[in-house]
Amino acid sequence: MKILSTIVVFACFTHFSHSQSANVNIEQDQKIDQLLEIYKSSLSNNEYYRIQVGFGNYAKAQKIKANVEEDFPELASKIDFDSPTYRVRVGRFTSRLDAERKFNEVRIKYPDAMLLKPKKSTK
């Protein structure tokens, strides 16, 4: 009986008690949004190094891309069409040092790989 009364008292206590609740309002300067937009646009306009691992017709490029994704899953791969062939390119390196390090690693598996320099801006 003592246990039952303890359970009833505990149940009533937990039923009538309330947890804390609060609202959080974040006030930020509108210039932060502007800075974020500038930062995003500068990232998209940056020049970067890529590694070309192979080229050929579309079927061959798809096969190469599948192999590269299996061998180097951490690198983003992409098929680019540069007339008259499809080229498989991986990575997006902002510094030449990082690009060369990864290029040396990729070249072991793909000896025909080439490190591509960023295109010169005409602005």
Side-chain angles (χ1 to χ4, degrees), residues 17-25:
S17 67
H18 298 286
S19 63
Q20 295 179 355
S21 62
N23 291 329
V24 177
N25 295 325

Side-chain angles (χ1 to χ4, degrees), residues 43-50 78 91-95 116-119:
L43 282 179
S44 65
N45 294 334
N46 277 350
E47 297 177 336
Y48 52 89
Y49 294 88
R50 310 237 11 224
K78 184 179 178 185
R92 187 176 176 137
F93 307 98
T94 54
S95 75
L116 304 175
K117 295 180 183 180
K119 294 180 180 178

Side-chain angles (χ1 to χ4, degrees), residues 8-9 30 48 58 64 68-69 74 80 84 113 122:
V8 170
V9 170
Q30 292 179 353
Y48 52 89
Y58 188 68
I64 293 170
V68 168
E69 288 175 345
E74 74 279 2
D80 294 327
T122 57

